[in-house]
Amino acid sequence: MAPDDISRGEAERLRGLDEAARVARTFEVIGDKGALWVWGDEDEILFTEDARRRTLLPIWPHATVARLENEGEVDGEHAIKIKADVFLKEWLPQLEGDDADIAIFPVEERSAAVLTLAEFRSRLTSALRLN
């Protein structure tokens, strides 16, 4: 299980940001740290569906905010760190095959944004170039 990477107080503050601020902060942190966080266990990663029945992969900028959103729902699940370059090279092609989109920094089942894989790739590539 990943240790807290920011304080719980800071995680709660970030969770309280409006949607646009959560999106901006997500890409800032991923660009700076070179990694993002998903939720799951050794066998599966958590996917969700929205009201339009799109398959979504939720991502978070910090393990702590992912944990606050998901902890206690299923035994054995935890925050999983994915390096941004690995996500671009390995995960995005797999997600294309799954016809999935990306849910940015969901809080209480509300995503800050839902991006297509092309939109996410573009934003992530830009964020990584800035750092």
Side-chain angles (χ1 to χ4, degrees):
M1 185 156 121
D4 284 350
D5 51 355
I6 58 174
S7 71
R8 295 230 172 200
E10 176 65 5
E12 289 291 354
R13 186 190 73 74
L14 292 174
R15 291 178 77 227
L17 294 174
D18 68 20
E19 292 169 355
R22 289 200 326 267
V23 170
R25 186 67 184 145
T26 296
F27 285 104
E28 287 170 14
V29 171
I30 295 171
D32 182 47
K33 303 286 184 186
L36 57 89
W37 295 86
V38 297
W39 191 259
D41 60 25
E42 283 64 39
D43 298 320
E44 292 187 24
I45 299 299
L46 172 74
F47 283 85
T48 61
E49 273 190 354
D50 66 6
R52 294 173 34 198
R53 302 198 48 91
R54 291 182 293 185
T55 300
L56 305 174
L57 174 66
I59 63 129
W60 292 270
H62 297 284
T64 307
V65 291
R67 187 174 305 108
L68 288 174
E69 194 60 31
N70 295 290
E71 196 167 53
E73 290 187 22
V74 177
D75 284 344
E77 289 188 346
H78 56 276
I80 300 169
K81 184 178 187 178
I82 310 295
K83 291 186 176 195
D85 60 337
V86 171
F87 195 86
L88 286 169
K89 291 175 190 162
E90 297 177 17
W91 284 61
L92 286 181
Q94 291 177 4
L95 292 169
E96 286 172 352
D98 294 335
D99 196 29
D101 291 324
I102 306 290
I104 307 292
F105 199 154
V107 172
E108 297 172 1
E109 299 183 20
R110 289 185 338 273
S111 300
V114 172
L115 301 180
T116 66
L117 299 180
E119 292 168 328
F120 185 81
R121 179 182 288 113
S122 176
R123 298 272 312 256
L124 181 56
T125 301
S126 294
L128 293 170
R129 270 194 220 121
L130 294 175
N131 290 302

